[in-house]
Amino acid sequence: MNVENTYWIATQWILLALAASIISIRLGMSVALVEILVGIFGGNVMHIQITDWVNFLASVGAVILTFLAGAEINPVSLKKNLKQSMAIGILSFLLPFLFGMIVAFYFLGWDVNAAKITGIALSTTSVAVVYAVMVESKLSATSFGQSILAACFITDLGTVLALGLLFTGFSYKILIFTGALVLVILVGTPLAKRVFKIYSGKVSEPEIKFVLLILLLLAYLAVYSGSEAVLPAYIIGLAMAGFFLQYKETLHKLRAIGFVAFTPFYFIKAGSLVSVKALITTFSLIALLLIVKVAAKFIGVLPATMFFKYGRRDGIYTTLLMSTGLTFGTISALYGLTNQYITNSQYSVIVSVVILSAVIPTLIAQKFFFPRNLLKGGQSDGNQ
C-alpha cells in the first residue's frame, strides 16, 4: 500500500472520529457509543478499509483503556467493594456462558464446539466500553463506578480462562508470560517511582513513554503466549493504582492520548464489522442470542445487586452495563472462526450480537437508569 493511499484511509477514519465527537457532544451521548454507530455507517456506506495499522491502533486503544480502567481504581474503594464485585462478576460470566451454550446446542442445533464459542462470547462484558462511558459521565470517580469496573474485569477473566480451558490449553509460553507479569507487578511500581521522580514534568514526557513501554511489552508477551493483549493491562493498572493516586495528571494525559489517537480506531472498527445485510437476513438469530445474553445477565446480576442492597435503579444500571460486550466477545468469535469451530454465518451472528450488546444496553442504561444522585453528593457506593 502506497503512502498516498495510507493518508487517504487515515483521513476517512479521522473524519469519522471527528464526526462522532461532535455528534456525541451535540446529543449528550457517550462518544464510545457514537463511534460504534458511526463505524456501522463507515463500514456499510463508506466501505472504510481495516488495514494492519488500523488493527494495531485499535488494539493499542483497547490496551490503554483497559489499563486506565485498572489504574484509576482506588485500592481502598476496591477493597471495600470486593465481595460484591466478585459476586457480580462471577454471576455475570457464569449464567450467560451456560445459557448461551444451551440455546446454541439445543435450540439452534449448532455442534458442541460452536455452542462453547457462543457461550464464551455471550458471557463477556466490556471494560473498555464501560470505562469510556464512566469517564464521560464522571462515575469513574465514585466507588460505585469502580466496583462495576472491577466486576467487569472478573467477568472477562472468566471468559479468558474458559477459552483457555476449553480450547487453547496451556504451554510453556504461558509460564513465561505469567512469570513476566509477576515480575512487572513486583518491580513496576518501584521502578516507576524512580522514573517519575527524576523525569516527571519534562516536555518529552518520558514517564508516559515508560508506561507505554510496559504495556506494549506485556501485550507482546500475552499474544506470544496465546492470551490477549488487554488482559495484563488491567492487572498492571490495578497493581499500580495506589502509585497513580499521586500522579493523576499523568493518567489524564494518557487518557487524552488514548481518546484522540487510539480508541476511535477501536470503537469505529467494532462498528464497521457489523454488516447491515447480515443483520437483516439473520435478524431472528441475532435477536434471540441478544435476548439470551441480556436475560442471563439480569437473572444473575440483578439479584446479586439486591443482595448487596443496591437501589433498584442502581441495580438495573449495573446489570445493563454488565450486559455490554466487545473485545473478548469478538476475540472469542474470531478464534472460533479461525480454528473452524464455527462457520462464517455463525461468526457474523455472534459478532453482531456482541457489538449490539455494546450499544443497546448502554444506551438504555444511560438514558433511563443513570444514577445522577451519585454525582450530587448522594450515596457514594450505590447501596442503600
Side-chain angles (χ1 to χ4, degrees), residues 41-373:
F41 174 81
N44 290 275
V45 179
M46 295 174 61
H47 304 293
I48 54 175
Q49 295 184 49
I50 301 177
T51 63
D52 287 344
W53 60 265
V54 168
N55 282 325
F56 175 73
L57 292 178
S59 177
V60 174
V63 168
I64 291 176
L65 277 178
T66 308
F67 169 76
L68 289 170
E72 294 200 32
I73 287 181
N74 187 316
V76 176
S77 173
L78 176 64
K79 187 176 180 180
K80 178 183 174 184
N81 298 305
L82 188 59
K83 286 183 180 177
Q84 60 224 57
S85 295
M86 288 287 291
I88 290 172
I90 291 172
L91 290 169
S92 169
F93 158 74
L94 190 59
L95 292 188
F97 173 63
L98 295 175
F99 283 24
M101 280 200 303
I102 291 170
V103 169
F105 186 76
Y106 288 106
F107 291 89
L108 302 184
W110 294 0
D111 66 28
V112 174
N113 285 328
K116 290 177 183 175
I117 291 293
T118 304
I120 292 170
L122 265 57
S123 71
T124 58
T125 184
S126 176
V127 173
V129 170
V130 175
Y131 173 73
V133 169
M134 292 206 163
V135 164
E136 291 179 74
S137 62
K138 302 186 187 308
L139 278 177
S140 60
T142 68
S143 61
F144 173 72
Q146 294 185 2
S147 66
I148 292 178
L149 285 169
C152 286
F153 173 71
I154 298 297
T155 300
D156 282 348
L157 184 60
T159 300
V160 173
L161 291 176
L163 195 62
L165 290 171
L166 294 177
F167 290 105
T168 61
F170 291 95
S171 67
Y172 72 93
K173 292 181 179 179
I174 292 181
L175 294 177
I176 294 174
F177 165 61
T178 304
L181 183 59
V182 171
L183 181 64
V184 173
I185 290 173
L186 293 176
V187 305
T189 298
L191 197 56
K193 285 181 179 177
R194 291 183 60 84
V195 171
F196 277 59
K197 183 178 179 181
I198 298 173
Y199 300 108
S200 182
K202 306 297 182 184
V203 174
S204 59
E205 306 287 2
E207 72 274 25
I208 292 179
K209 293 168 184 168
F210 171 77
V211 174
L212 289 175
L213 175 64
I214 290 178
L215 294 179
L216 294 179
L217 176 61
L218 288 175
Y220 160 72
L221 290 173
V223 173
Y224 169 75
S225 70
S227 185
E228 302 306 333
V230 296
L231 179 62
Y234 192 87
I235 297 173
I236 292 302
L238 272 178
M240 300 182 72
F243 167 75
F244 277 110
L245 284 176
Q246 57 183 317
Y247 289 103
K248 285 288 184 183
E249 187 181 352
T250 300
L251 288 182
H252 293 163
K253 290 178 181 176
L254 190 57
R255 183 198 298 170
I257 293 170
F259 272 76
V260 170
F262 297 104
T263 61
F265 289 92
Y266 172 68
F267 291 118
I268 292 173
K269 176 192 167 187
S272 70
L273 294 175
V274 175
S275 166
V276 173
K277 288 182 181 177
L279 281 177
I280 295 172
T281 56
T282 59
F283 176 78
S284 58
L285 279 181
I286 293 171
L288 172 63
L289 291 179
L290 183 60
I291 291 171
V292 168
K293 171 171 181 168
V294 177
K297 296 278 185 179
F298 265 82
I299 292 172
V301 174
L302 189 58
T305 63
M306 296 169 65
F307 177 82
F308 288 105
K309 302 186 186 307
Y310 280 51
R312 187 182 70 86
R313 288 175 59 85
D314 296 339
I316 295 175
Y317 182 81
T318 300
T319 305
L320 286 168
L321 289 189
M322 296 303 296
S323 302
T324 60
L326 193 57
T327 308
F328 285 110
T330 52
I331 285 171
S332 303
L334 184 60
Y335 177 83
L337 179 67
T338 304
N339 292 279
Q340 299 182 335
Y341 293 129
I342 58 176
T343 64
N344 283 321
S345 175
Q346 290 169 335
Y347 172 79
S348 297
V349 169
I350 294 172
V351 168
S352 297
V353 172
V354 168
I355 295 175
L356 288 177
S357 74
V359 177
I360 297 175
T362 313
L363 278 174
I364 296 173
Q366 293 296 94
K367 180 70 176 177
F368 300 107
F369 298 99
F370 183 73
R372 290 183 174 77
N373 59 310

Side-chain angles (χ1 to χ4, degrees), residues 368-381:
F368 300 107
F369 298 99
F370 183 73
R372 290 183 174 77
N373 59 310
L374 299 182
L375 300 178
K376 296 178 180 177
Q379 301 162 29
S380 61
D381 57 6

